[in-house]
Amino acid sequence: MEWRTETGFTPYDVALSTMEGRADAIRAGEADELVWLVEHPPLYTAGTSANPGDLLEPDRFPVYQAGRGGEYTYHGPGQRVAYVMLDLKRRREDVRAFVVALEDWVIQTLARFNVRGERRAGRIGVWVQRPDKPPLPDGSPMEDKIAAIGIRLRRWVSFHGIAINVEPELAHFTGIVPCGISGFGVTSLVDLGLPVTMADFDVALKLAFEDIFGPTRKREGALL
């Protein structure tokens, strides 16, 4: 397993070509699995289920066809994007279990900063309750999205992955309907009052990854 952290901003087209090449090399047995941590310049990406009507400001930032599952999402400075290239043939050939593992990875990472991330049926990503905001129309607490998940598999090698909001410009999300889900907000660790640096977040991300995807877990048959 290789971990790579890029400095500066990685162009999205470079990320796509790099992921595809690495996935092919992993399947051919020519490269190790990779977790690749990047930040992008401000941009929007469209997944394979994206509704054109959810792109509210098409001229605001560059828009890329991502080829992953899901709908529109935003990437930009202050957001940690973790691209995950894993060989599920060596782990577990179960797409749903993989998505659950990615969600748990995010949830466990957030827990290290005393943030309770939760999954919601019918809403992709990881959510946090916001009792400090006005409630939803049904009286339940408002919830904000803090992390997005979108994957693609090629011959059981994954690519794309997760995006967690550490300190992005939240106003940049207003140019889209994030992941096609309206009526909810978007938040970040800093927006929640936690002055977390990207370096500190990366440490927590790696520790949580080892808990979810590490070799001990694999032998025990839990998750992946």
Side-chain angles (χ1 to χ4, degrees):
M1 168 65 67
E2 178 186 356
W3 278 74
R4 183 191 307 169
T5 304
E6 297 294 339
T7 58
F9 300 136
T10 301
Y12 195 73
D13 54 351
V14 171
L16 284 178
S17 62
T18 300
M19 284 190 288
E20 290 181 357
R22 184 62 172 244
D24 288 342
I26 291 169
R27 174 50 56 234
E30 299 170 352
D32 293 331
E33 295 177 312
L34 172 66
V35 177
W36 187 26
L37 305 182
V38 307
E39 285 181 86
H40 289 301
L43 57 92
Y44 297 130
T45 67
T48 54
S49 301
N51 179 351
D54 288 341
L55 181 60
L56 305 178
E57 299 181 33
D59 298 323
R60 187 171 185 179
F61 298 125
V63 181
Y64 293 89
Q65 299 298 318
R68 53 158 175 78
E71 303 188 40
Y72 282 104
T73 193
Y74 166 77
H75 293 315
Q79 183 189 69
R80 173 52 83 209
V81 178
Y83 291 129
V84 185
M85 285 144 274
L86 300 183
D87 184 356
L88 299 191
K89 277 189 173 293
R90 291 167 44 195
R91 293 172 174 268
R92 182 176 174 186
E93 294 180 43
D94 187 325
V95 176
R96 180 56 193 158
F98 181 51
V99 172
V100 169
L102 292 175
E103 291 171 340
D104 283 341
W105 180 24
V106 174
I107 289 167
Q108 288 199 25
T109 301
L110 295 174
R112 294 173 186 272
F113 300 100
N114 296 315
V115 173
R116 182 176 178 178
E118 299 177 296
R119 57 172 60 89
R120 289 291 182 264
R123 283 193 261 140
I124 299 297
V126 176
W127 301 78
V128 295
Q129 290 193 5
R130 298 300 303 269
D132 54 314
K133 291 186 174 183
L136 294 167
D138 64 1
S140 59
M142 172 58 75
E143 295 180 338
D144 285 348
K145 190 171 187 177
I146 195 167
I149 296 171
I151 63 167
R152 183 177 177 183
L153 297 179
R154 178 180 291 169
R155 294 184 294 169
W156 288 105
V157 177
S158 69
F159 51 114
H160 296 282
I162 64 174
I164 307 178
N165 299 330
V166 179
E167 191 180 5
E169 176 52 71
L170 296 180
H172 289 175
F173 286 87
T174 61
I176 57 172
V177 178
C179 299
I181 301 170
S182 58
F184 298 90
V186 179
T187 191
S188 68
L189 288 171
V190 170
D191 182 54
L192 294 172
L194 300 167
V196 177
T197 68
M198 194 68 79
D200 287 342
F201 186 78
D202 287 347
V203 170
L205 198 65
K206 187 170 184 179
L207 290 172
F209 182 91
E210 291 170 352
D211 287 343
I212 300 295
F213 295 94
T216 300
R217 289 274 184 173
K218 180 182 174 184
R219 285 195 298 270
E220 293 172 353
L223 297 179
L224 292 172

